[in-house]
Amino acid sequence: MPILLENILRSDINEDKKFFIEFFNTVGYERVHVISQEKYDAMEVEYDDIKKNRIPVIARKVDEAKQLGDLSENAEYHSAREEMAWAKSRIQEIQVILQTAEIIDEK
């Protein structure tokens, strides 16, 4: 029997509700992000900084850490990989926000 979203949202199972609400909010499912022009511009700057500056630096850290040897016990490698995962997820998050942004006038 398929699990329907409406049945889950109507159910009394709070954990399922939390999961689906969090999931749809995370992926930006049909969600509009209302932000100011100032915030939009700041997010574009952050996006460019991560893409052009941080990711290349992190990639070098990963490469340097790989050269240190055994990856299973290499803290520098694991730290750099976690940092890269954060940067890539932040890039995706910013993309969704910018693509679904509705700019408000702050007057």
Side-chain angles (χ1 to χ4, degrees):
M1 180 167 108
I3 299 174
L4 299 175
L5 178 59
E6 64 183 38
N7 291 343
I8 290 171
L9 294 178
R10 285 185 197 154
S11 75
D12 291 331
I13 305 171
N14 290 332
E15 295 306 314
D16 285 341
K17 284 183 190 179
K18 287 179 190 175
F19 169 79
F20 278 97
I21 290 168
E22 190 173 290
F23 172 77
F24 286 117
N25 286 340
T26 301
V27 297
Y29 180 76
E30 293 187 30
R31 182 176 185 187
V32 174
H33 292 85
V34 180
I35 58 175
S36 67
Q37 185 65 51
E38 182 180 342
K39 183 65 175 175
Y40 185 91
D41 295 342
M43 292 189 89
E44 283 185 321
V45 169
E46 181 184 2
Y47 177 87
D48 288 339
D49 178 55
I50 292 171
K51 192 102 171 154
K52 294 176 183 173
N53 299 321
R54 291 187 193 179
I55 287 182
V57 168
I58 298 167
R60 279 193 294 278
K61 285 183 186 178
V62 170
D63 187 49
E64 290 168 2
K66 276 184 183 178
Q67 295 174 15
L68 295 175
D70 185 11
L71 298 181
S72 65
E73 296 182 14
N74 188 331
E76 290 87 1
Y77 173 75
H78 292 289
S79 175
R81 293 282 298 175
E82 287 175 14
E83 196 175 348
M84 182 65 82
W86 174 87
K88 288 182 176 182
S89 69
R90 182 63 181 153
I91 285 283
Q92 289 176 340
E93 180 181 18
I94 293 171
Q95 284 176 328
V96 168
I97 293 170
L98 294 178
Q99 290 170 355
T100 60
E102 182 177 313
I103 309 292
I104 58 167
D105 188 12
E106 292 185 38
K107 291 180 183 178

